[in-house]
Amino acid sequence: MPPTTENVSYQQQGYSGNRGHHFQGSGQGNDQILRNGRTVFPDSDSQAEHLTKMTDTPQSHNGYISDESKYRQEFFYKEPTIYSHRMFVRGAKIYSVLKQDPNEGSPYLRRKQLANAPIQPPVADEEFKDEIEKRKTYELAFAALKYQNILEAITEESSFFSYHPEVKHDQSLVMVILFDFQSRKFQHRSPFPDEELDEVCQEVERAILDFKIKLNACLARHRIKARAPSIEFLLPEQVRQQEENNKLQMPVYMWINHHKTNLTDVINKLNEEGHEQVSCSVLDLKDKKFVVDHHCPDMLVFAPGAAESLHSHPLVTSGHIVMQDKSSCLAPHSVKHLLNEEDDVIHVNIGSGLTTAHLSSLLKGSGSHIYAFGATSDADSYRVHHNFDHLGVRNIRMMADSFMDVDTDDSRFKNVRVVLVTAECSKSGITNPVEFVISEGEDMKILRDLSLGESNSSRLGEFTSRHNLWLRQAMKMPKVQAVVYVTRSVFEAENDNVVLKAVEYMNMVQNKKAVPFRLVPPVLPFNGEEIENNEGIVGKFMKFKPSAKMNGCFVAVITREPEEVKETARDIIARAAAKGLMGKPALKGEGAENGRRRRKSPKRIRGTTSAPNSVPAYPKHNISVSSPVSKYINSASRSPTRTKKMLIGERLHASQPRKATEKGGSKPSAGGPHTGR
């Protein structure tokens, strides 16, 4: 059992053959006190300095001295203090609302009740000194939550609360501090400089230190029984995999808030402060270098180590740039490509409102409005309005109603053309749940679900059913031309299956004369290498796996299939004459005979064009041929030229000549424009 290192004392013996010789340390008598051959250090810094000098002792011929020095340094290593008493107290509050109570009925009913009950943050943002303290506090609570069953088991087996009943009413605080102590090998905690110590925390610390032998022994028995090399292997497989993902250091993503600034001004400001814009992979970023993301042109990417300094940067605190993961920014860019001027958008499940604010920033100056659904409680509404005010957003209208209760024919949504559905999914693609909850403002239930490892199996049915209803409701709106669906899940049950089933159902139940729905690839720039390796684009979906670059996400675009516009022979000839492809214009009265030879008889033309059954009847919400959605779909349906350097955005917007489908249509001449295959 390692000592506490508060007053570390040990007997140092020579290893050159003289067992009676004692080291005299560094020779500085003021740094240490010798008593009966033992060295007592007044503080951990003196101890660390002494061990470092001993480690530098020249190696003997058999390497014995250097090996023993290394083992000695590891044995007496002082684990650093990570959390303060303020973090303990606030972390215990978060832990208390997220922990599972084994006494609340059956596990199934308990999970169902907890799944439907919204959780409000027990600690207001104003109670944290800064963003760093807030993140560390949530990390502490989430870590203790993952080990809840183990911590409760060792306290019960060792009868901890029987020997220390004075701390029984603070069980959440005990679990949080106990997790910190076991992670630091039950060493005494050294306070931070100028830290305000809490009396209750000190009482809990004394109780744990007094009982550390029994607690450590119970923990060791659990490890031996499970044959676990460390305490991490006592966690469920899914939770342990999440623990490994948390160690990934991802780049820092920030989007430009066009309501307050622009990309050029931000880059100039960063360059003045010593930052440097480079062209490289996001994984190669170091120090103060940054790049502009090639998928989202309004997004800057910084090195992982820059996160702590950027949190307090004036551009961030003033709302000129917003820190948000890239997985949350792909859907707003997909929505932007589907809108015309003054087209409105509905956003379902807005969370903290950052994604909605990003969409508002992209649509600045377009005259569009965004109807936001999801902030049903007063606390959620306050948090969202606070974020909107901080970012200077003005074109968003908050809706208090549930999206499922809205009348699809409501006149308020007569200009809505696109619906963005941000799914409340399992979040299985999130690598760092704590960072995601804080930055996105998502429901804290994510931390509880991921700590139990149940979100991947028990709740998928609930998620898929709810998402299917949201998509159906969005597609029922008569004026809507497209629906963008985004999740942070890696499971097909929440992604592909939900979208395909919703589209199939709506095409089956709606009026046969109505415009059907179809799936199209999102319009974002992906290079040929990404397409070939299925990095981002997989079929007609956008899929990113969780990695060191970004969190995992899924984006699908559902659109109404536009009406095919049929051209008559007269329209084709007129268009060709306007382009100068018909030679010298004929004089009045000339060429009538040739014209009659080429065309069908007027009687047949009138019969074919005026027959009521020859053209399908569509409702009033037909998509305009010149709308972005129409161009989007028509371009996506054509076969692209296969080149490695081609961008999907260019592929979808590339114009190709319309093939003449009518019997009398003229074919392009050999000398005409050639598009190639």
Side-chain angles (χ1 to χ4, degrees):
M1 177 65 59
T4 62
T5 70
E6 183 68 10
N7 290 315
V8 178
S9 61
Y10 57 91
Q11 187 173 7
Q12 302 172 341
Q13 295 183 347
Y15 299 102
S16 59
N18 184 7
R19 299 179 59 85
H21 175 74
H22 297 281
F23 287 103
Q24 298 301 318
S26 61
Q28 299 177 1
N30 295 332
D31 293 339
Q32 54 200 30
I33 305 172
L34 299 179
R35 296 175 182 172
N36 299 326
R38 296 182 177 271
T39 306
V40 180
F41 295 94
D43 52 39
S44 58
D45 294 336
S46 301
Q47 169 206 346
E49 181 182 359
H50 174 70
L51 292 177
T52 302
K53 292 182 178 180
M54 292 189 63
T55 306
D56 297 335
T57 304
Q59 183 177 1
S60 64
H61 66 280
N62 57 3
Y64 191 68
I65 294 180
S66 62
D67 290 344
E68 290 296 331
S69 300
K70 180 181 68 174
Y71 297 148
R72 187 184 301 111
Q73 187 174 12
E74 292 178 356
F75 184 81
F76 291 103
Y77 174 71
K78 173 70 173 180
E79 296 288 341
T81 300
I82 302 177
Y83 307 109
S84 64
H85 280 186
R86 283 177 52 89
M87 299 178 189
F88 285 151
V89 174
R90 287 154 181 77
K93 293 180 180 179
I94 300 173
Y95 175 88
S96 63
V97 300
L98 293 177
K99 68 177 181 179
Q100 56 174 338
D101 189 352
N103 299 322
E104 293 182 359
S106 66
Y108 172 77
L109 295 177
R110 184 173 65 253
R111 285 197 302 267
K112 192 170 185 62
Q113 180 182 3
L114 294 177
N116 298 326
I119 298 179
Q120 301 298 335
V123 183
D125 293 343
E126 294 77 11
E127 297 186 36
F128 298 102
K129 288 183 177 180
D130 48 35
E131 286 292 324
I132 297 177
E133 183 183 74
K134 181 179 179 180
R135 278 167 170 78
K136 285 186 176 181
T137 303
Y138 272 85
E139 288 174 358
L140 172 63
F142 181 56
L145 204 63
K146 290 186 290 187
Y147 292 93
Q148 176 185 349
N149 294 335
I150 302 173
L151 298 176
E152 290 179 350
I154 63 176
T155 53
E156 182 179 356
E157 294 174 5
S158 63
S159 303
F160 174 81
F161 291 108
S162 298
Y163 284 89
H164 296 280
E166 68 277 5
V167 297
K168 188 174 182 179
H169 60 282
D170 294 315
Q171 291 192 21
S172 296
L173 183 62
V174 170
M175 296 303 165
V176 168
I177 298 179
L178 178 58
F179 167 78
D180 174 65
F181 268 74
Q182 70 82 25
S183 64
R184 294 187 299 103
K185 302 177 182 179
F186 288 93
Q187 296 179 3
H188 191 280
R189 175 185 167 278
S190 299
F192 290 100
D194 301 328
E195 177 186 353
E196 296 181 5
L197 300 181
D198 185 83
E199 294 183 0
V200 180
C201 291
Q202 288 179 309
E203 186 177 15
V204 173
E205 288 178 341
R206 287 192 296 267
I208 292 176
L209 289 175
D210 180 61
F211 223 67
K212 67 179 181 179
I213 296 178
K214 289 188 176 181
L215 292 172
N216 212 354
C218 291
L219 183 60
R221 284 195 294 269
H222 279 271
R223 288 177 50 190
I224 294 172
K225 184 178 180 180
R227 297 183 179 181
S230 63
I231 188 175
E232 290 81 7
F233 286 86
L234 296 177
L235 297 174
E237 177 65 26
Q238 296 171 350
V239 179
R240 189 165 69 249
Q241 183 61 41
Q242 184 70 44
E243 184 100 349
E244 293 297 325
N245 293 338
N246 290 346
K247 299 177 182 179
L248 296 176
Q249 295 292 324
M250 291 193 306
V252 181
Y253 294 91
M254 292 187 170
W255 52 267
I256 308 298
N257 183 11
H258 294 293
H259 290 293
K260 291 190 174 184
T261 184
N262 56 68
L263 180 63
T264 303
D265 292 345
V266 171
I267 292 179
N268 292 338
K269 178 66 174 178
L270 293 174
N271 290 335
E272 293 175 0
E273 298 176 353
H275 294 271
E276 180 184 359
Q277 182 181 358
V278 295
S279 298
C280 65
S281 171
V282 295
L283 299 178
D284 298 330
L285 291 173
K286 295 180 180 179
D287 302 328
K288 290 190 173 184
K289 293 179 170 51
F290 67 93
V291 298
V292 178
D293 188 78
H294 69 285
H295 294 140
C296 305
D298 69 331
M299 177 169 288
L300 304 180
V301 190
F302 296 84
E308 188 169 336
S309 60
L310 289 174
H311 280 305
S312 57
H313 194 280
L315 288 175
V316 177
T317 56
S318 62
H320 286 67
I321 57 178
V322 181
M323 185 178 298
Q324 193 177 22
D325 187 70
K326 181 178 177 179
S327 62
S328 303
C329 302
L330 296 171
H333 278 272
S334 299
V335 172
K336 177 186 176 182
H337 289 286
L338 296 166
L339 293 173
N340 257 333
E341 294 288 332
E342 299 183 356
D343 285 348
D344 294 342
V345 185
I346 287 179
H347 186 192
V348 183
N349 191 25
I350 62 174
S352 64
L354 291 184
T355 300
T356 317
H358 187 195
L359 181 59
S360 171
S361 172
L362 294 174
L363 300 179
K364 181 179 181 295
S366 65
S368 300
H369 295 90
I370 304 173
Y371 296 92
F373 290 86
T376 55
S377 65
D378 293 339
D380 291 339
S381 180
Y382 173 80
R383 183 172 71 252
V384 171
H385 278 291
H386 175 76
N387 290 336
F388 289 166
D389 292 340
H390 175 66
L391 299 177
V393 176
R394 294 292 181 269
N395 59 338
I396 299 178
R397 300 177 181 177
M398 297 292 298
M399 308 301 295
D401 302 332
S402 171
F403 179 66
M404 294 302 301
D405 298 334
V406 169
D407 183 5
T408 55
D409 294 322
D410 195 324
S411 60
R412 293 177 297 177
F413 311 126
K414 61 182 179 180
N415 293 326
V416 172
R417 297 295 179 265
V418 180
V419 177
L420 172 60
V421 178
T422 302
E424 186 182 353
C425 59
S426 63
K427 305 299 186 296
S428 54
I430 301 299
T431 58
N432 191 334
V434 172
E435 182 68 26
F436 182 78
V437 168
I438 294 177
S439 61
E440 300 288 334
E442 290 286 342
D443 197 333
M444 294 174 59
K445 290 185 295 186
I446 301 172
L447 300 180
R448 180 179 58 203
D449 296 337
L450 295 178
S451 68
L452 299 175
E454 296 180 347
S455 60
N456 297 345
S457 55
S458 63
R459 298 192 62 192
L460 286 184
E462 301 174 14
F463 288 138
T464 55
S465 177
R466 185 184 307 126
H467 302 163
N468 202 305
L469 294 176
W470 284 354
L471 289 177
R472 293 181 187 180
Q473 178 78 350
M475 289 187 282
K476 287 178 183 178
M477 307 187 79
K479 298 292 185 179
V480 168
Q481 299 176 1
V483 178
V484 179
Y485 175 75
V486 57
T487 76
R488 277 87 169 196
S489 174
V490 298
F491 300 110
E492 290 189 0
E494 297 179 270
N495 300 336
D496 311 47
N497 295 351
V498 170
V499 176
L500 294 174
K501 290 180 179 179
V503 172
E504 180 182 5
Y505 175 83
M506 289 304 300
N507 288 337
M508 179 179 62
V509 301
Q510 69 179 354
N511 192 328
K512 292 183 179 180
K513 295 182 179 181
V515 182
F517 292 94
R518 60 184 292 191
L519 291 167
V520 294
V523 183
L524 288 181
F526 289 88
N527 56 42
E529 183 180 355
E530 291 175 324
I531 298 172
E532 292 178 359
N533 298 331
N534 289 333
E535 295 181 3
I537 287 292
V538 181
K540 292 186 178 180
F541 303 112
M542 187 189 304
K543 294 182 180 181
F544 283 94
K545 297 180 180 179
S547 63
K549 291 183 179 180
M550 59 178 287
N551 290 318
C553 69
F554 170 88
V555 180
V557 177
I558 307 171
T559 61
R560 292 188 190 271
E561 188 173 346
E563 177 183 353
E564 299 247 349
V565 179
K566 294 188 176 182
E567 291 184 293
T568 64
R570 185 176 308 217
D571 295 333
I572 296 174
I573 294 175
R575 185 158 49 87
K579 293 183 178 180
L581 301 178
M582 302 298 293
K584 184 179 179 181
L587 298 176
K588 185 176 181 181
E590 296 181 1
E593 182 180 355
N594 295 334
R596 284 194 296 271
R597 289 175 184 173
R598 297 190 192 97
R599 296 197 304 266
K600 298 178 182 179
S601 64
K603 182 178 180 180
R604 293 184 61 187
I605 293 176
R606 286 195 297 271
T608 55
T609 56
S610 62
N613 296 329
S614 60
V615 179
Y618 290 88
K620 293 183 179 181
H621 57 267
N622 285 349
I623 298 176
S624 172
V625 182
S626 61
S627 70
V629 175
S630 177
K631 297 176 182 178
Y632 186 109
I633 299 172
N634 289 335
S635 301
S637 62
R638 300 189 181 105
S639 299
T641 303
R642 299 290 182 180
T643 58
K644 290 186 177 181
K645 297 297 184 180
M646 189 168 190
L647 301 179
I648 281 189
E650 298 173 359
R651 179 180 71 182
L652 295 178
H653 289 92
S655 61
Q656 298 185 9
R658 182 186 301 275
K659 295 181 180 180
T661 57
E662 296 193 10
K663 187 175 180 180
S666 60
K667 297 181 180 179
S669 62
H674 180 66
T675 58
R677 292 186 181 274

